[in-house]
Structure formats: C-alpha cells, structure tokens
Amino acid sequence: MAEQLRLRAYEEDDIHFLHKLVNDPAIMSYWFEEAYYSKSRLKEIFEKEQQDSSTRSFILTNGEQALGLVQLFDIDFVHRHAEYAIMIDPAAQGNGYAAKATNLASDYAFKVLNLHKLFLYVDEVNEKAVHVYKKCGYKYVATLEEAYFVNGIYHNAVLMNIFKRDYLGLN
Ligand SMILES: CC(=O)SCCNC(=O)CCNC(=O)[C@H](O)C(C)(C)COP(=O)(O)OP(=O)(O)OC[C@H]1O[C@@H](n2cnc3c(N)ncnc32)[C@H](O)[C@@H]1OP(=O)(O)O
C-alpha cells in the first residue's frame, strides 16, 4: 500500500498502543519523563484532555496502522504559541516518518489553529531528533544547562522554535 501518513485525533482505544510506548525508557528518557504509566492513568489523562483546549494529541497513522504520537500542548491562544513533542513506535522508526509527522503538526498549528510560534525542548544528545527538527525548519534558540535528570546524570536541553511566517514562507 502506498504511504498515506496523516494525523488523527488520539482516541481512547489508542491507549493500548500508547501504553507500550510510554512504558519504554528508551522513549521516555527523551521526553524527560519516567516510563511508568498504567492503563488507568492513561485513561484519566485522556479524559482530562477531552476537557482541555490547550492540548491536541494526534496519532500518526499510515492507513489503519498507528505509528506514533504527536502533541501540541500548552497551547496559548493569547500569545499564539504551543510546545511540540513526538514519539515514533520503535518498530516504525528509521523510515523517515518523524519529519513528515513534524511537518503535519506544523501545518495543523499554523494553518488550522493560526498559531504564531511552535517551540520544543530536546535533549542535546538526541542528535536524530535535532536533525529532524532542523530539517523541518526549527531553529536553535538556547541551551538550558543541566535541565533534566536522565539515567543518573543531568542533561542539557536545547530550546528550538519555528515561526508561522518562516514555515509558510510569508516573509
Ligand atoms: C520535542 C521532543 O519531542 S524531543 C523527543 C523526541 N522523541 C524521542 O526522542 C522519543 C524516542 N525517539 C523517537 O520517537 C524517534 O526516534 C524520533 C521521533 C526522534 C525520530 O523518529 P525516527 O523514525 O527514528 O526517525 P526518522 O527515520 O523519521 O528520521 C531520522 C533522521 O535522522 C537522521 N539521523 C539518524 N541518526 C542520526 C544521528 N545520530 N545524528 C544526526 N542525524 C541522524 C536520519 O538520517 C534521518 O534523517 P533524513 O531523513 O534526513 O535522512
């Protein structure tokens, strides 16, 4: 089947898919989070999100197949910015999906939500992710020294951002 990547709303049924990813330390260490999520906690978070206009959680799909999770969160409709994050199922990694998903999220943020800016924090050692973000137009802003404690040591985080005018070539 030809590749048909899209983002769709994260549904309650996706908890089973997500449960595997958010309990994987190889993923969650790069989200600066503990890989410790029960299904009931994920259900609570899901239900809270349904009442919360500041988050958009998407499942990246190819046809019916779930490939990963993409989030726009802390969406601020006054200042018109949001934070971006992504995780791809390890079974689906290495296929170039991350840049496509990141561009789909930027499309949504800038063309649907009319945001002005997206930003993200990425572990300095996560070179693959940094490469993807640069490829998608994110620019380096600053390094936050020893911002997150991961696997026994403090890691520097890199703050990156992208503006709507640059993404859409409106300059
Ligand atoms: C703001 C945040 O969300 S930061 C946290 C990001 N999430 C994570 O790190 C969680 C765990 N990791 C993942 O989920 C995934 O590995 C992701 C999302 C980081 C990347 O998705 P993948 O499917 O692995 O990568 P994908 O195949 O799409 O692209 C990888 C790109 O990086 C390049 N790459 C791979 N390794 C490296 C490296 N060590 N240094 C630089 N570039 C690299 C590849 O060549 C490819 O680039 P190209 O398309 O220009 O050739």
Side-chain angles (χ1 to χ4, degrees):
M1 188 183 71
E3 188 178 281
Q4 279 190 316
L5 294 187
R6 71 181 190 101
L7 299 182
R8 62 156 174 81
Y10 166 50
E11 302 281 354
E12 194 172 337
D13 282 353
D14 295 315
I15 285 174
H16 303 283
F17 167 68
L18 198 62
H19 184 250
K20 185 180 66 160
L21 271 57
V22 296
N23 285 288
D24 182 344
I27 290 182
M28 296 315 280
S29 63
Y30 284 136
W31 272 51
F32 310 121
E33 283 186 35
E34 198 180 338
Y36 184 77
Y37 284 89
S38 64
K39 286 186 180 161
S40 58
R41 184 166 165 222
L42 288 176
K43 189 160 184 276
E44 270 173 40
I45 295 169
F46 173 83
E47 280 163 2
K48 226 170 130 194
E49 257 187 49
Q50 300 310 298
Q51 316 302 323
D52 172 10
S53 64
S54 71
T55 301
R56 299 287 185 282
S57 294
F58 300 99
I59 296 293
L60 174 72
T61 59
N62 184 15
E64 291 299 305
Q65 192 194 358
L67 302 172
L69 175 81
V70 161
Q71 271 190 333
L72 299 170
F73 59 104
D74 287 346
I75 301 170
D76 187 316
F77 287 106
V78 173
H79 304 297
R80 309 214 70 81
H81 60 222
E83 188 168 344
Y84 173 69
I86 180 171
M87 59 177 75
I88 300 285
D89 185 342
Q93 287 181 12
N95 293 301
Y97 295 143
K100 291 173 187 162
T102 299
N103 285 329
L104 286 170
S106 295
D107 277 350
Y108 196 92
F110 298 134
K111 296 181 186 171
V112 179
L113 300 179
N114 189 25
L115 296 183
H116 175 64
K117 178 172 90 167
L118 291 177
F119 63 93
L120 60 82
Y121 297 96
V122 58
D123 194 318
E124 197 176 54
V125 302
N126 196 350
E127 292 171 350
K128 184 166 50 162
V130 170
H131 170 87
V132 167
Y133 301 140
K134 281 185 187 159
K135 186 174 170 176
C136 294
Y138 278 84
K139 301 267 190 309
Y140 172 87
V141 178
T143 299
L144 283 70
E145 290 183 316
E146 301 181 24
Y148 296 103
F149 188 72
V150 182
N151 293 332
I153 52 167
Y154 284 97
H155 284 227
N156 294 346
V158 174
L159 170 63
M160 302 179 83
N161 68 20
I162 184 169
F163 290 93
K164 177 183 180 179
R165 58 176 177 266
D166 296 326
Y167 181 73
L168 297 179
L170 302 176
N171 287 314

